[in-house]
Amino acid sequence: MSSTFAALADPTRRAILARLALGETSVTEIAAPFEMSMPAISRHLKVLEKAGLISRGREAQWRPCKLKAEPLKQASDWLEEYRNFWEQSFDRLDEYLKTLQKKEKRDAGKNGSGRKKR
Amino acid sequence: MSSTFAALADPTRRAILARLALGETSVTEIAAPFEMSMPAISRHLKVLEKAGLISRGREAQWRPCKLKAEPLKQASDWLEEYRNFWEQSFDRLDEYLKTLQKKEKRDAGKNGSGRKKR
DNA sequence: TGGTTATTTAACTTAGTTGTTAAATAATAT
DNA sequence: ATATTATTTAACAACTAAGTTAAATAACCA
C-alpha cells in the first residue's frame, strides 16, 4: 500500500500510467513526451514495477511495459472506506450553511462567549 | 494530487487518518499509539495539513485535528478512471482459468514434456 | 508571578528520491 | 564479427523526508 501511494505521488509516473492505460508500449515511446533523460524514465518504470503497477516483457530489443491495475484497486478500496466521510462532509457543510443563514437573519451582531471542551 | 498521494504513502499517516475518522482529537491522543517522539508526530500532522487532509483548531492548549476528506475524494476519483482496467484484468483471469480447465480435461495425461518458467 | 501541560520549532543525522552524464548490456541487422 | 538500436546500470549531485533531542511557545492553573 505504501509503495503504491508513493509511486502515485509522482506526476511523471501518473502520466506514464495514463499512457499505459491506452496500451502496452516500449520504454522509448513512454519516454517521448517527457523532457527527461532515458535513465530517469527507466528508474520511474522501476519504481512502478516494484509497486506492482506495471510488468515488463521482452520482445526483441524492446521491453514493453504493461499496466497492472490490481494495486490501484487496493488503493481504491482503501480510500473507499472514507467515502462516507467525504459525503458526510458535504452534508455537514450544507447544514452549517443553513444554520449560518438562520443566525445571520436572527442576530446580526452578537459575538461568542460560549466555551466548549472535548 | 501529488501531495495527497505522498501523504498517504506513509503508514503512520494512514493510521492517523484512520484514528481521525473516529473523531476529532488532540495531538497527544493521536501520538499515543505510536512509538515515536512528539515532534515526529507533529511533523506528520504538518504533512497531512499541507495536503489538506486535516485541519487544526485551537481549544485552550490543545490543537484538535480534524479529518478533511475532500482530497481523498479527489484521489478516489483519479483511481476510478482505472476501474475498468482492473475489472478487465479479472475478466481476463476468468477467461484464462476457463481455458485452462478445458485444456486440463482435454489432455489430462500427456505429462513430462511441458516446461514452465517462473 | 511562576509552574504545568500541550504542542511546535530548531538543529542535526541518516537515508532515500530524482535527476544528470557516461558506460555497460542485450538483441538485432549487416 | 561489428554496428545499431533499445534499455539499464554506475557514479555522482542536489534535494527532500523522517527520525532524534533540546529548547521555545502558548495557554491554562494556582
Side-chain angles (χ1 to χ4, degrees):
Chain A
M1 189 94 287
S2 290
S3 66
T4 301
F5 282 127
L8 297 179
D10 185 283
T12 302
R13 288 194 290 262
R14 288 199 302 278
I16 290 173
L17 292 182
R19 168 63 189 82
L20 291 179
L22 304 175
E24 201 169 336
T25 193
S26 74
V27 176
T28 309
E29 209 183 314
I30 289 167
F34 302 101
E35 288 189 335
M36 200 181 287
S37 67
M38 212 50 148
I41 297 293
S42 184
R43 283 171 56 173
H44 279 304
L45 292 173
K46 191 180 269 181
V47 172
L48 290 169
E49 190 179 28
K50 268 197 184 167
L53 284 161
I54 65 170
S55 66
R56 295 199 258 189
R58 164 69 83 175
E59 187 148 343
Q61 66 258 231
W62 296 276
R63 258 149 245 207
C65 296
K66 188 157 96 182
L67 179 61
K68 294 296 229 181
E70 288 80 358
L72 296 181
K73 175 175 166 36
Q74 286 177 241
S76 180
D77 287 349
W78 186 87
L79 287 166
E80 205 52 34
E81 294 191 14
Y82 291 85
R83 169 176 292 278
N84 299 334
F85 219 91
W86 71 66
E87 279 170 356
Q88 220 177 89
S89 300
F90 289 124
D91 290 354
R92 279 190 203 146
L93 180 60
D94 261 16
E95 221 176 286
Y96 171 70
L97 290 174
K98 278 174 203 158
T99 314
L100 212 63
Q101 286 180 324
K102 277 182 206 160
K103 261 192 196 155
E104 273 165 8
K105 278 180 191 164
R106 212 183 333 106
D107 54 32
K110 283 175 158 175
N111 227 341
S113 65
R115 288 267 286 95
K116 266 164 218 154
K117 228 174 184 176
R118 77 163 328 273
Chain B
M1 189 94 285
S2 290
S3 65
T4 302
F5 282 128
L8 297 179
D10 185 285
T12 302
R13 288 194 291 262
R14 289 199 302 279
I16 290 173
L17 292 182
R19 170 61 189 83
L20 291 179
L22 304 176
E24 200 171 334
T25 192
S26 74
V27 177
T28 309
E29 208 183 314
I30 289 167
F34 301 100
E35 287 190 336
M36 200 180 288
S37 67
M38 214 49 150
I41 296 293
S42 184
R43 284 172 56 171
H44 279 304
L45 292 173
K46 190 180 272 181
V47 172
L48 290 169
E49 190 180 28
K50 269 198 181 167
L53 285 161
I54 65 170
S55 66
R56 294 199 260 188
R58 163 70 85 176
E59 190 147 346
Q61 66 259 231
W62 297 274
R63 259 149 245 207
C65 296
K66 187 157 97 182
L67 179 60
K68 296 293 232 181
E70 288 80 356
L72 296 180
K73 174 176 166 38
Q74 286 177 242
S76 181
D77 288 349
W78 185 89
L79 286 166
E80 205 54 34
E81 294 190 14
Y82 292 85
R83 170 177 292 278
N84 299 334
F85 219 92
W86 72 67
E87 278 170 357
Q88 221 177 86
S89 302
F90 287 124
D91 290 354
R92 280 190 203 142
L93 180 60
D94 260 17
E95 222 174 285
Y96 170 71
L97 290 175
K98 278 174 200 157
T99 315
L100 213 63
Q101 286 180 324
K102 277 183 205 159
K103 262 191 195 155
E104 273 166 6
K105 276 181 190 162
R106 204 175 347 97
D107 53 36
K110 301 161 138 185
N111 221 344
S113 68
R115 285 269 283 98
K116 267 165 217 154
K117 234 178 183 174
R118 78 154 328 267

